[in-house]
Amino acid sequence: MADKRKPNSADDRPQESDRQFLERSNVGSCMKDVLGKIIANRPEDPIAFMADYFDSLEEQTSLVARARQLIIMTHHSRPVFDINVRMAYETLQKSKCSKKLHGVNGTVYNELIRALCRDFPTLVINRLLRRIECLDFEAVTYDVFKSGVFTCCVLEDYLRLVEYLFNSLDFTKTGKCDKAVCDAVLEQLKTSLASNKTDARKIVESGYNLGPDGLFHVLDKAMKRDTHVSTAFTLEMFTAECCEAFIAKVKKLR
């Protein structure tokens, strides 16, 4: 008597075309989406961009995670960044504020800001939040949302440059810099950041002060002083001082 088996193995299933397989597994849709984002954002490393995209599919368990992924897809200097920020805002508008209301409130906005700054030093995050965080219950407009997001992205670049500058000042490669040298650079930085952006002459002066010639001049003067009793700066200390100058320029929401 013939053995009757149910077709539950892969070999027993009806053969499907390649197109049917891609549609069933949603692979085609994902590939189309990521390729479209690569063309729109034109990242420097498309392969790494794709890897981050597919990694984020597993992490996107919340609206905030999806909004963050949209924001970090491209650098803030590119025109498409504004489009991505708008899409992130629209994504968060699906957040549930109450039983009948949806939208972007302070709770969701603050959570996104913390997600964007999650790799920043804790001290820097706390200082920044004191300037740009919103009250949990208040409605967050798009202009406020965009300003906060942009500030986080610019600060991320700034922190990277601060670390590079510290490593350049660490002549002995011990993870510590001479305090007199750091103080000289910090004074130059604070003076430049304090300049009035509407004054063309001040803008030129600031550019010079933070350029190679300007920094060389202050470093040369600092190193000629007697610094044998000077204490040392760590990267954490130097970063805190540099970020204090930056955050002081950020407009406070309240």
Side-chain angles (χ1 to χ4, degrees), residues 153-183:
C153 294
V154 173
L155 182 54
E156 183 178 16
D157 283 353
Y158 182 80
L159 283 167
R160 195 176 295 115
L161 291 173
V162 165
E163 183 176 1
Y164 176 79
L165 179 57
F166 179 84
N167 291 334
S168 299
L169 299 176
D170 182 11
F171 306 123
T172 58
K173 305 304 177 186
T174 59
K176 295 182 179 180
C177 295
D178 186 273
K179 185 177 184 299
V181 172
C182 290
D183 283 342

Side-chain angles (χ1 to χ4, degrees), residues 19 104 107 174 177 180 217 249:
R19 181 172 181 174
V104 183
T107 300
T174 59
C177 295
H217 178 68
K249 298 291 292 183

